[in-house]
Amino acid sequence: MNSRIISAIEKQFKAYKAVADEALLQLEEEGLLCNFDGTGNSIGVLVKHISGNMKSRFSDFLTTDGEKIWRDKPGEFVNEIPSKAAVLRVWEEAWHALFSTLELLTDADLEKHVFLKGKEITVANAILRQLTHYSYHIGQIVYAAKLIKKSEWKPVT
């Protein structure tokens, strides 16, 4: 079956990932931990949050609630990272979970229902909800990276 809609969704996720990847590659470890005013989230925290959310939402996507009991959401917001390599590894694992799930879906699956925090929603709504969530945080990552790099910033596409 031709999954044109799923393919279009996957293409959009890949475009957002590419933008974030370009921004992350420009940063050193210190940049990942930079928190400008002490009240916001560093880029490292945003990456941990997106990754934790993505793994939770897209693991066993059609069969279990998207908010997994094993997710450590409070830990995602602790501003510490073991290394840039470790952060990027978690980032890639999360995207792998998302793309592996999308590969299994067909356009017909979009009308099915899944659960998120105990509430039933359509697969289409669940996916679009995550697409907007990740794009919001990727925008934060790019903006913060630009502020950190200043004149050394290379625009991302």
Side-chain angles (χ1 to χ4, degrees), residues 2-112:
N2 185 0
S3 296
R4 293 183 330 195
I5 298 169
I6 296 293
S7 294
I9 291 168
E10 180 181 18
K11 183 177 179 180
Q12 195 62 55
F13 274 117
K14 286 182 177 180
Y16 284 122
K17 181 183 185 302
V19 167
D21 287 347
E22 286 185 53
L24 293 171
L25 289 174
Q26 294 186 51
L27 298 171
E28 303 301 324
E29 284 182 25
E30 309 83 58
L32 293 174
L33 291 169
C34 182
N35 185 336
F36 294 101
D37 64 2
T39 62
N41 294 316
S42 70
I43 291 172
V45 163
L46 292 169
V47 169
K48 288 191 312 182
H49 170 60
I50 293 169
S51 298
N53 180 282
M54 201 175 287
K55 286 180 184 178
S56 181
R57 298 297 185 262
F58 289 99
S59 296
D60 303 318
F61 180 66
L62 293 175
T63 58
T64 62
D65 192 298
E67 187 65 28
K68 306 296 187 284
I69 59 172
W70 47 257
R71 182 178 179 200
D72 178 20
K73 190 171 181 178
E76 295 168 12
F77 293 94
V78 175
N79 194 28
E80 59 186 30
I81 58 170
S83 67
K84 180 178 179 179
V87 169
L88 295 179
R89 188 169 39 258
V90 167
W91 176 252
E92 291 300 328
E93 289 169 0
W95 285 99
H96 178 74
L98 183 151
F99 291 129
S100 294
T101 296
L102 290 180
E103 282 179 18
L104 300 174
L105 299 177
T106 66
D107 289 350
D109 290 323
L110 295 171
E111 296 179 31
K112 292 181 179 177

Side-chain angles (χ1 to χ4, degrees), residues 104-139:
L104 300 174
L105 299 177
T106 66
D107 289 350
D109 290 323
L110 295 171
E111 296 179 31
K112 292 181 179 177
H113 288 85
V114 293
F115 286 89
L116 180 57
K117 299 180 183 179
K119 294 185 180 180
E120 188 175 27
I121 60 174
T122 64
V123 166
N125 191 21
I127 292 172
L128 292 174
R129 180 178 173 150
Q130 296 319 119
L131 182 63
T132 57
H133 182 195
Y134 305 150
S135 67
Y136 170 78
H137 287 311
I138 287 169

